[in-house]
Amino acid sequence: MDHWLLSWFPCPAFNVTSSSFGTGTWRTEAVFSEASLMRVPSDIPLVGAATVSVNPCTAYRLLSDYETLRPGDSVIQNASNSGVGQAVIQIAASLGITTINIVRDREELPSLVRRLQDLGADHVITEDQLRKPEMKDLFKKCPRPRLAFNCVGGKNTTEMLRHLDYGGSMVTYGGMAKQPVTIPVSALIFKNVKLCGFWITQWKKERAHTDREEITKMIRDLCDLIRRGRLVPPPSTQRPLEDFSRALQDSQTPFLSRKQILIM
Ligand SMILES: NC(=O)c1ccc[n+]([C@@H]2O[C@H](COP(=O)([O-])OP(=O)(O)OC[C@H]3O[C@@H](n4cnc5c(N)ncnc54)[C@H](OP(=O)(O)O)[C@@H]3O)[C@@H](O)[C@H]2O)c1
């Protein structure tokens, strides 16, 4: 039996999301119009199907909509071990695009670096390394990035922006550090960088009734990657719904790097 993707909000009980807003995310039964459902192939793992509609879709749009990227081009991102970041690494690798991935330093850094490299990350650097003059050496090995994906904010983002190519774009989709993004005036004047934000919910909302084909293509492409083992979900802990408070606690623990999946 195929899985069904009820367009947008994640609904773990069904592996589905709902096309209308405010219909309730947590539910075991629902009635929807056929037009608001999307078929997800049954030959991909359930966790992949359940988690395809937000983070992988975000990564797909970030890589598709802001610059024309060709194999060999590079992108830079922070919070690279996040769910979105891991999807960016894998989708970019499948397109031959080089990724420069910033993570926070930690005790288990070598194992995190290995894990991201196993997903296809080309370069993994810490926030501290990002500020070092040795960054110049990196750009002898790969071109300066045309695109930067910002999930953090604060100093980290300003430093990341410095490495963008002339005329490149930085897309902000998260603000994990809860600090504003500060842009050096010189980046705007002399490097002509473009800044914008992205929100997958709004992107889908604007196309829900007018451009289903674009959404269908995106889901199909992502499911193909999942089927071929080129897009795997982040490590996760599955918990029964009753354990939601433990799941919430773990989801807010820094450096844990595990998604919490509630099973109903
Ligand atoms: N705009 C959109 O359309 C869209 C779509 C999807 C997600 N998002 C947003 O994107 C963000 C990430 O979502 P996700 O599901 O990918 O998250 P996730 O898997 O839970 O990962 C969170 C990431 O943030 C990092 N982080 C946390 N606090 C930080 C700080 N103070 N400084 C630097 N890094 C920090 C974590 O790094 P450590 O491992 O070092 O703790 C981790 O890499 C969330 O804010 C989410 O709401 C936005």
Side-chain angles (χ1 to χ4, degrees):
M1 202 180 103
D2 282 348
H3 311 306
W4 287 88
L5 198 66
L6 301 176
S7 301
W8 324 134
F9 273 116
C11 181
F14 283 106
N15 231 357
V16 293
T17 54
S18 140
S19 62
S20 345
F21 295 89
T23 53
T25 297
W26 305 100
R27 53 169 69 220
T28 50
E29 290 182 15
V31 177
F32 286 91
S33 69
E34 190 179 342
S36 62
L37 302 180
M38 198 169 287
R39 195 188 290 264
V40 179
S42 55
D43 59 353
I44 61 170
L46 199 60
V47 171
T51 54
V52 75
S53 67
V54 179
N55 287 346
C57 287
T58 302
Y60 184 100
R61 299 270 46 112
L62 292 175
L63 285 161
S64 309
D65 294 349
Y66 295 92
E67 294 285 340
T68 307
L69 296 172
R70 297 192 178 78
D73 285 345
S74 69
V75 298
I76 189 166
Q77 62 168 345
N78 53 27
S80 306
N81 60 323
S82 67
V84 176
Q86 292 184 44
V88 164
I89 289 170
Q90 296 175 86
I91 298 168
S94 77
L95 298 169
I97 293 163
T98 300
T99 54
I100 303 164
N101 300 282
I102 305 157
V103 295
R104 292 201 284 185
D105 203 356
R106 65 198 68 217
E107 268 179 28
E108 316 75 37
L109 184 66
S111 71
L112 175 62
V113 171
R114 264 196 312 279
R115 191 158 67 73
L116 297 184
Q117 285 172 337
D118 286 347
L119 294 176
D122 297 282
H123 306 284
V124 184
I125 54 179
T126 62
E127 292 185 332
D128 286 343
Q129 288 171 311
L130 185 66
R131 297 183 192 111
K132 298 265 163 69
E134 293 82 65
M135 278 297 286
K136 278 203 287 250
D137 298 336
L138 177 64
F139 297 116
K140 290 177 187 154
K141 291 183 244 162
C142 75
R144 282 194 180 265
R146 305 271 324 134
L147 256 176
F149 305 136
N150 171 37
C151 174
V152 176
K155 269 194 197 146
N156 170 304
T157 301
T158 311
E159 293 297 334
M160 180 171 74
L161 186 80
R162 290 187 203 284
H163 301 295
L164 256 190
D165 198 7
Y166 179 87
S169 302
M170 183 173 81
V171 190
T172 292
Y173 70 92
M176 295 303 299
K178 300 189 177 71
Q179 285 166 15
V181 173
T182 306
I183 308 298
V185 169
S186 59
L188 295 168
I189 299 176
F190 301 119
K191 287 188 78 182
N192 197 24
V193 297
K194 300 180 286 272
L195 306 169
C196 55
F198 175 75
W199 187 27
I200 190 70
T201 306
Q202 186 64 22
W203 184 93
K204 288 179 171 176
K205 195 173 169 184
E206 285 167 4
R207 286 155 185 81
H209 302 294
T210 56
D211 204 350
R212 295 262 305 174
E213 185 43 43
E214 203 176 0
I215 298 167
T216 309
K217 179 184 180 321
M218 172 174 66
I219 298 292
R220 196 175 50 231
D221 289 351
L222 291 169
C223 290
D224 281 349
L225 286 177
I226 295 173
R227 186 181 300 105
R228 288 191 280 134
R230 307 285 299 271
L231 178 60
V232 294
S236 59
T237 303
Q238 298 188 16
R239 296 185 189 282
L241 184 62
E242 304 79 64
D243 284 355
F244 71 90
S245 108
R246 179 75 200 281
L248 276 177
Q249 202 181 324
D250 284 357
S251 73
Q252 287 168 29
T253 306
F255 310 117
L256 193 64
S257 295
R258 286 189 87 79
K259 286 288 186 196
Q260 305 293 312
I261 296 188
L262 296 173
I263 307 293
M264 289 165 121

